[in-house]
Amino acid sequence: MVRPVGRDMTTVGFIGSGKIGGTVARLAVAAGYDVVLSNSRGPETLADLVADLGPKARAATPAEAAQAGDLVVLSVPLHAYRVVPAAAVAGKPVLDTNNYYPQRDGRIAELDAGSTTSSALLQEHLAGDAAVVKVFNNINWTQLGSLARPSGAADRSALPVAADDARAKEAVVAFLDAIGYDAVDTGSLADSWRQQPDTPVYGVPYAGGPAPAEKIRDALAEAGRG
Ligand SMILES: NC(=O)c1ccc[n+]([C@@H]2O[C@H](COP(=O)([O-])OP(=O)(O)OC[C@H]3O[C@@H](n4cnc5c(N)ncnc54)[C@H](OP(=O)(O)O)[C@@H]3O)[C@@H](O)[C@H]2O)c1
């Protein structure tokens, strides 16, 4: 179980600060969060992004970013998911943006067989120490940056969110709201195959327009395996 959701969730740590991680960081800074970025090559290689994001951003190692974040965003190629240090994220929501692309990640037999989900594999790696929340995986990074809207805006988009831990899900829904998105509860990590690549909700109906949440629910219901 993660810590209770609170107003003290002010810092977001990033393991992976590329297209998706960097975009979430930009939205988080705009919403008033502090961000701690990391990548595989070292903090000095993030100097330009940190300068661009301003005084609420700094760069660190993945372990330091994981330790500093009240929320921790994992946004790396899926094959690198074990880089998350379980002890450093204990008691925290870990926002999993990752997708399985065999041509990039290599073959993962359980995912090919459909016997688990990529987020459940991450949760297994973290054991019971942290709570994985699947989010941001179905939206293209450029649209993620451009479609954020204030709460209540008529053209606000919604994103699917899956997790086993209710508090972690609640924390992520609150974070989404702060950075400009509504949320649709997709269920558990076992259910999160419904938002993995090649499903109806992947990359399509988040984009504003009337009733985006209903469109997402419809798309989730249409998903089929195999
Ligand atoms: N691009 C999209 O529109 C999109 C949309 C939804 C979901 N996704 C998924 O989100 C994840 C990230 O995608 P992206 O497009 O943001 O990728 P990206 O732009 O290539 O960024 C990947 C980031 O992960 C870091 N990284 C790689 N290996 C690492 C390791 N071992 N330890 C620490 N950091 C590491 C990279 O750092 P270095 O550069 O230093 O190696 C980089 O900061 C992927 O799983 C992708 O499928 C992408």
Side-chain angles (χ1 to χ4, degrees), residues 111-157:
L111 297 182
D112 288 339
S115 60
T116 188
T117 63
S118 57
S119 291
L121 286 181
L122 173 62
Q123 184 67 70
E124 215 175 286
H125 165 66
L126 298 177
D129 288 342
V132 174
V133 183
K134 180 89 168 174
V135 64
F136 298 125
N137 78 293
N138 75 314
I139 184 167
N140 172 275
W141 68 285
T142 52
Q143 291 187 304
L144 178 63
S146 64
L147 291 172
R149 298 286 186 277
S151 181
D155 60 346
R156 202 181 210 213
S157 296

Short mmCIF file of all heavy atoms in Angstrom, two decimals, residues 111-157:
data_model
loop_
_atom_site.label_atom_id
_atom_site.label_comp_id
_atom_site.label_asym_id
_atom_site.label_seq_id
_atom_site.Cartn_x
_atom_site.Cartn_y
_atom_site.Cartn_z
N LEU A 111 4.59 -11.82 -22.45
CA LEU A 111 3.80 -10.79 -23.12
C LEU A 111 3.33 -11.30 -24.48
O LEU A 111 2.19 -11.03 -24.89
CB LEU A 111 4.60 -9.50 -23.26
CG LEU A 111 5.01 -8.86 -21.92
CD1 LEU A 111 5.78 -7.56 -22.17
CD2 LEU A 111 3.79 -8.59 -21.05
N ASP A 112 4.18 -12.04 -25.16
CA ASP A 112 3.77 -12.63 -26.44
C ASP A 112 2.60 -13.59 -26.23
O ASP A 112 1.68 -13.67 -27.04
CB ASP A 112 4.93 -13.38 -27.10
CG ASP A 112 5.97 -12.43 -27.65
OD1 ASP A 112 5.64 -11.24 -27.88
OD2 ASP A 112 7.13 -12.87 -27.85
N ALA A 113 2.63 -14.31 -25.10
CA ALA A 113 1.58 -15.29 -24.81
C ALA A 113 0.32 -14.62 -24.27
O ALA A 113 -0.74 -15.26 -24.18
CB ALA A 113 2.09 -16.32 -23.81
N GLY A 114 0.44 -13.36 -23.88
CA GLY A 114 -0.72 -12.66 -23.31
C GLY A 114 -1.05 -13.14 -21.90
O GLY A 114 -2.15 -12.92 -21.40
N SER A 115 -0.09 -13.77 -21.23
CA SER A 115 -0.37 -14.31 -19.90
C SER A 115 -0.15 -13.27 -18.80
O SER A 115 -0.51 -13.50 -17.64
CB SER A 115 0.49 -15.54 -19.62
OG SER A 115 1.86 -15.21 -19.68
N THR A 116 0.44 -12.13 -19.14
CA THR A 116 0.58 -11.04 -18.17
C THR A 116 0.60 -9.73 -18.96
O THR A 116 0.40 -9.72 -20.17
CB THR A 116 1.84 -11.21 -17.31
OG1 THR A 116 1.85 -10.24 -16.26
CG2 THR A 116 3.11 -11.06 -18.14
N THR A 117 0.80 -8.63 -18.24
CA THR A 117 0.88 -7.32 -18.89
C THR A 117 2.25 -6.72 -18.58
O THR A 117 2.91 -7.11 -17.61
CB THR A 117 -0.20 -6.38 -18.36
OG1 THR A 117 0.01 -6.17 -16.95
CG2 THR A 117 -1.60 -6.95 -18.59
N SER A 118 2.66 -5.75 -19.38
CA SER A 118 3.97 -5.15 -19.13
C SER A 118 4.00 -4.44 -17.78
O SER A 118 5.02 -4.45 -17.08
CB SER A 118 4.36 -4.21 -20.27
OG SER A 118 3.39 -3.20 -20.46
N SER A 119 2.89 -3.86 -17.37
CA SER A 119 2.86 -3.19 -16.07
C SER A 119 2.89 -4.19 -14.92
O SER A 119 3.47 -3.91 -13.86
CB SER A 119 1.61 -2.31 -15.95
OG SER A 119 1.71 -1.21 -16.81
N ALA A 120 2.29 -5.35 -15.12
CA ALA A 120 2.35 -6.38 -14.07
C ALA A 120 3.78 -6.89 -13.92
O ALA A 120 4.22 -7.20 -12.80
CB ALA A 120 1.40 -7.53 -14.40
N LEU A 121 4.53 -6.96 -15.02
CA LEU A 121 5.94 -7.35 -14.92
C LEU A 121 6.72 -6.33 -14.08
O LEU A 121 7.56 -6.69 -13.26
CB LEU A 121 6.58 -7.44 -16.31
CG LEU A 121 6.22 -8.62 -17.18
CD1 LEU A 121 6.97 -8.53 -18.52
CD2 LEU A 121 6.54 -9.94 -16.48
N LEU A 122 6.43 -5.06 -14.30
CA LEU A 122 7.09 -4.01 -13.51
C LEU A 122 6.71 -4.15 -12.03
O LEU A 122 7.57 -4.06 -11.16
CB LEU A 122 6.71 -2.63 -14.06
CG LEU A 122 7.18 -1.43 -13.24
CD1 LEU A 122 8.70 -1.37 -13.16
CD2 LEU A 122 6.61 -0.13 -13.84
N GLN A 123 5.42 -4.39 -11.78
CA GLN A 123 4.98 -4.55 -10.39
C GLN A 123 5.69 -5.74 -9.73
O GLN A 123 6.09 -5.66 -8.57
CB GLN A 123 3.47 -4.72 -10.33
CG GLN A 123 2.91 -4.79 -8.92
CD GLN A 123 3.04 -3.47 -8.16
OE1 GLN A 123 2.38 -2.50 -8.48
NE2 GLN A 123 3.92 -3.43 -7.16
N GLU A 124 5.87 -6.80 -10.50
CA GLU A 124 6.59 -7.98 -9.99
C GLU A 124 8.02 -7.60 -9.61
O GLU A 124 8.53 -7.98 -8.57
CB GLU A 124 6.62 -9.02 -11.11
CG GLU A 124 6.53 -10.45 -10.71
CD GLU A 124 6.44 -11.31 -11.96
OE1 GLU A 124 5.37 -11.34 -12.61
OE2 GLU A 124 7.45 -11.93 -12.31
N HIS A 125 8.65 -6.81 -10.45
CA HIS A 125 10.02 -6.36 -10.18
C HIS A 125 10.07 -5.54 -8.89
O HIS A 125 11.02 -5.66 -8.10
CB HIS A 125 10.53 -5.52 -11.36
CG HIS A 125 11.76 -4.72 -11.06
ND1 HIS A 125 12.99 -5.31 -10.79
CD2 HIS A 125 11.96 -3.38 -10.94
CE1 HIS A 125 13.88 -4.37 -10.54
NE2 HIS A 125 13.29 -3.20 -10.62
N LEU A 126 9.05 -4.73 -8.65
CA LEU A 126 9.04 -3.86 -7.47
C LEU A 126 8.47 -4.57 -6.25
O LEU A 126 8.47 -4.02 -5.15
CB LEU A 126 8.22 -2.60 -7.75
CG LEU A 126 8.76 -1.73 -8.88
CD1 LEU A 126 7.83 -0.54 -9.13
CD2 LEU A 126 10.17 -1.24 -8.56
N ALA A 127 7.99 -5.79 -6.45
CA ALA A 127 7.33 -6.56 -5.39
C ALA A 127 6.23 -5.72 -4.75
O ALA A 127 5.57 -4.96 -5.43
CB ALA A 127 8.36 -7.04 -4.38
N GLY A 128 6.07 -5.81 -3.46
CA GLY A 128 4.98 -5.05 -2.83
C GLY A 128 5.42 -3.67 -2.38
O GLY A 128 4.66 -2.96 -1.70
N ASP A 129 6.63 -3.27 -2.74
CA ASP A 129 7.18 -2.04 -2.17
C ASP A 129 6.56 -0.77 -2.73
O ASP A 129 6.51 0.25 -2.07
CB ASP A 129 8.69 -1.98 -2.41
CG ASP A 129 9.42 -2.99 -1.54
OD1 ASP A 129 8.80 -3.43 -0.55
OD2 ASP A 129 10.56 -3.32 -1.85
N ALA A 130 6.15 -0.82 -3.97
CA ALA A 130 5.63 0.38 -4.62
C ALA A 130 4.42 -0.02 -5.43
O ALA A 130 4.18 -1.20 -5.64
CB ALA A 130 6.70 0.98 -5.54
N ALA A 131 3.66 0.95 -5.87
CA ALA A 131 2.42 0.65 -6.59
C ALA A 131 2.49 1.20 -8.01
O ALA A 131 2.55 2.42 -8.22
CB ALA A 131 1.23 1.25 -5.85
N VAL A 132 2.47 0.29 -8.96
CA VAL A 132 2.55 0.67 -10.37
C VAL A 132 1.19 1.18 -10.84
O VAL A 132 0.15 0.59 -10.53
CB VAL A 132 2.98 -0.53 -11.22
CG1 VAL A 132 2.92 -0.21 -12.71
CG2 VAL A 132 4.38 -0.98 -10.81
N VAL A 133 1.23 2.27 -11.58
CA VAL A 133 0.02 2.83 -12.21
C VAL A 133 0.32 2.99 -13.70
O VAL A 133 1.24 3.71 -14.07
CB VAL A 133 -0.36 4.20 -11.60
CG1 VAL A 133 -1.65 4.71 -12.23
CG2 VAL A 133 -0.49 4.10 -10.08
N LYS A 134 -0.45 2.30 -14.51
CA LYS A 134 -0.26 2.40 -15.97
C LYS A 134 -0.96 3.65 -16.48
O LYS A 134 -2.18 3.80 -16.32
CB LYS A 134 -0.90 1.17 -16.62
CG LYS A 134 -0.79 1.13 -18.13
CD LYS A 134 0.47 0.46 -18.51
CE LYS A 134 0.58 0.10 -19.96
NZ LYS A 134 1.93 -0.44 -20.22
N VAL A 135 -0.22 4.55 -17.10
CA VAL A 135 -0.79 5.82 -17.56
C VAL A 135 0.15 6.44 -18.60
O VAL A 135 1.34 6.12 -18.62
CB VAL A 135 -1.01 6.78 -16.35
CG1 VAL A 135 0.31 7.17 -15.69
CG2 VAL A 135 -1.81 8.01 -16.74
N PHE A 136 -0.37 7.28 -19.45
CA PHE A 136 0.38 8.00 -20.49
C PHE A 136 0.88 7.09 -21.60
O PHE A 136 1.58 7.55 -22.49
CB PHE A 136 1.62 8.73 -19.93
CG PHE A 136 1.33 9.80 -18.92
CD1 PHE A 136 1.94 9.78 -17.67
CD2 PHE A 136 0.49 10.86 -19.22
CE1 PHE A 136 1.70 10.77 -16.74
CE2 PHE A 136 0.24 11.87 -18.29
CZ PHE A 136 0.85 11.83 -17.05
N ASN A 137 0.56 5.77 -21.55
CA ASN A 137 1.15 4.88 -22.56
C ASN A 137 0.42 4.94 -23.89
O ASN A 137 0.97 4.52 -24.90
CB ASN A 137 1.17 3.44 -22.06
CG ASN A 137 -0.19 2.78 -22.18
OD1 ASN A 137 -1.12 3.18 -21.49
ND2 ASN A 137 -0.33 1.82 -23.07
N ASN A 138 -0.84 5.45 -23.88
CA ASN A 138 -1.62 5.36 -25.13
C ASN A 138 -1.63 6.66 -25.92
O ASN A 138 -2.28 6.73 -26.95
CB ASN A 138 -3.07 4.96 -24.81
CG ASN A 138 -3.88 6.11 -24.22
OD1 ASN A 138 -3.39 6.78 -23.31
ND2 ASN A 138 -5.07 6.32 -24.71
N ILE A 139 -0.93 7.68 -25.41
CA ILE A 139 -0.99 8.98 -26.07
C ILE A 139 0.38 9.35 -26.65
O ILE A 139 1.41 9.16 -26.00
CB ILE A 139 -1.52 10.08 -25.10
CG1 ILE A 139 -1.68 11.42 -25.82
CG2 ILE A 139 -0.63 10.22 -23.87
CD1 ILE A 139 -2.49 12.45 -25.02
N ASN A 140 0.34 9.88 -27.85
CA ASN A 140 1.57 10.34 -28.49
C ASN A 140 2.13 11.55 -27.74
O ASN A 140 1.38 12.41 -27.28
CB ASN A 140 1.21 10.70 -29.94
CG ASN A 140 2.35 11.36 -30.66
OD1 ASN A 140 2.52 12.57 -30.55
ND2 ASN A 140 3.12 10.58 -31.37
N TRP A 141 3.44 11.64 -27.65
CA TRP A 141 4.06 12.67 -26.81
C TRP A 141 3.74 14.09 -27.27
O TRP A 141 3.59 15.00 -26.44
CB TRP A 141 5.56 12.44 -26.71
CG TRP A 141 6.32 12.67 -27.98
CD1 TRP A 141 6.37 11.84 -29.06
CD2 TRP A 141 7.14 13.80 -28.31
NE1 TRP A 141 7.16 12.37 -30.04
CE2 TRP A 141 7.65 13.57 -29.61
CE3 TRP A 141 7.49 14.96 -27.64
CZ2 TRP A 141 8.49 14.48 -30.24
CZ3 TRP A 141 8.34 15.87 -28.27
CH2 TRP A 141 8.82 15.63 -29.56
N THR A 142 3.63 14.32 -28.57
CA THR A 142 3.36 15.69 -29.02
C THR A 142 1.94 16.10 -28.61
O THR A 142 1.70 17.22 -28.17
CB THR A 142 3.52 15.86 -30.54
OG1 THR A 142 2.75 14.86 -31.20
CG2 THR A 142 4.96 15.73 -30.95
N GLN A 143 1.01 15.14 -28.72
CA GLN A 143 -0.36 15.45 -28.32
C GLN A 143 -0.48 15.56 -26.81
O GLN A 143 -1.23 16.40 -26.30
CB GLN A 143 -1.31 14.41 -28.90
CG GLN A 143 -1.37 14.57 -30.42
CD GLN A 143 -2.41 13.70 -31.07
OE1 GLN A 143 -2.37 12.50 -30.88
NE2 GLN A 143 -3.28 14.30 -31.84
N LEU A 144 0.29 14.76 -26.09
CA LEU A 144 0.30 14.89 -24.63
C LEU A 144 0.66 16.32 -24.22
O LEU A 144 0.06 16.90 -23.32
CB LEU A 144 1.31 13.90 -24.03
CG LEU A 144 1.47 13.94 -22.52
CD1 LEU A 144 0.18 13.57 -21.80
CD2 LEU A 144 2.60 12.99 -22.08
N GLY A 145 1.62 16.89 -24.94
CA GLY A 145 2.03 18.25 -24.61
C GLY A 145 1.02 19.30 -25.01
O GLY A 145 0.85 20.31 -24.32
N SER A 146 0.30 19.06 -26.09
CA SER A 146 -0.55 20.13 -26.63
C SER A 146 -2.02 20.04 -26.19
O SER A 146 -2.75 21.03 -26.31
CB SER A 146 -0.49 20.14 -28.16
OG SER A 146 -1.02 18.93 -28.67
N LEU A 147 -2.46 18.90 -25.70
CA LEU A 147 -3.89 18.74 -25.39
C LEU A 147 -4.25 19.02 -23.93
O LEU A 147 -5.42 18.93 -23.55
CB LEU A 147 -4.36 17.33 -25.75
CG LEU A 147 -4.41 17.01 -27.25
CD1 LEU A 147 -4.70 15.53 -27.47
CD2 LEU A 147 -5.44 17.88 -27.96
N ALA A 148 -3.27 19.33 -23.08
CA ALA A 148 -3.57 19.61 -21.67
C ALA A 148 -4.49 20.84 -21.59
O ALA A 148 -4.28 21.83 -22.29
CB ALA A 148 -2.27 19.88 -20.91
N ARG A 149 -5.50 20.72 -20.75
CA ARG A 149 -6.48 21.81 -20.57
C ARG A 149 -6.82 21.93 -19.09
O ARG A 149 -6.81 20.93 -18.36
CB ARG A 149 -7.78 21.51 -21.33
CG ARG A 149 -7.65 21.38 -22.83
CD ARG A 149 -7.46 22.72 -23.52
NE ARG A 149 -7.47 22.58 -24.96
CZ ARG A 149 -6.41 22.22 -25.71
NH1 ARG A 149 -5.25 21.98 -25.14
NH2 ARG A 149 -6.52 22.10 -27.02
N PRO A 150 -7.25 23.13 -18.65
CA PRO A 150 -7.65 23.27 -17.25
C PRO A 150 -8.88 22.41 -16.95
O PRO A 150 -9.66 22.08 -17.85
CB PRO A 150 -8.01 24.76 -17.13
CG PRO A 150 -7.49 25.41 -18.36
CD PRO A 150 -7.34 24.37 -19.42
N SER A 151 -9.05 22.11 -15.67
CA SER A 151 -10.19 21.32 -15.24
C SER A 151 -11.49 21.98 -15.69
O SER A 151 -11.65 23.20 -15.57
CB SER A 151 -10.17 21.22 -13.71
OG SER A 151 -11.25 20.46 -13.27
N GLY A 152 -12.41 21.20 -16.23
CA GLY A 152 -13.70 21.73 -16.65
C GLY A 152 -13.74 22.25 -18.07
O GLY A 152 -14.82 22.55 -18.58
N ALA A 153 -12.60 22.36 -18.75
CA ALA A 153 -12.59 22.85 -20.13
C ALA A 153 -13.40 21.89 -21.01
O ALA A 153 -13.31 20.67 -20.87
CB ALA A 153 -11.17 22.97 -20.65
N ALA A 154 -14.17 22.46 -21.94
CA ALA A 154 -15.05 21.63 -22.77
C ALA A 154 -14.26 20.65 -23.64
O ALA A 154 -14.75 19.57 -23.96
CB ALA A 154 -15.92 22.53 -23.65
N ASP A 155 -13.06 21.04 -24.02
CA ASP A 155 -12.27 20.17 -24.91
C ASP A 155 -11.15 19.44 -24.17
O ASP A 155 -10.13 19.09 -24.74
CB ASP A 155 -11.68 20.99 -26.07
CG ASP A 155 -10.77 22.10 -25.58
OD1 ASP A 155 -10.79 22.41 -24.35
OD2 ASP A 155 -10.01 22.65 -26.40
N ARG A 156 -11.37 19.22 -22.87
CA ARG A 156 -10.35 18.49 -22.10
C ARG A 156 -10.34 17.02 -22.51
O ARG A 156 -11.40 16.41 -22.70
CB ARG A 156 -10.65 18.61 -20.61
CG ARG A 156 -9.43 18.36 -19.73
CD ARG A 156 -9.78 18.47 -18.27
NE ARG A 156 -8.65 18.93 -17.51
CZ ARG A 156 -8.39 18.57 -16.25
NH1 ARG A 156 -9.21 17.78 -15.61
NH2 ARG A 156 -7.33 19.03 -15.63
N SER A 157 -9.15 16.44 -22.59
CA SER A 157 -9.02 15.03 -22.93
C SER A 157 -8.94 14.18 -21.67
O SER A 157 -8.72 14.71 -20.57
CB SER A 157 -7.76 14.81 -23.77
OG SER A 157 -7.86 15.49 -24.99
#
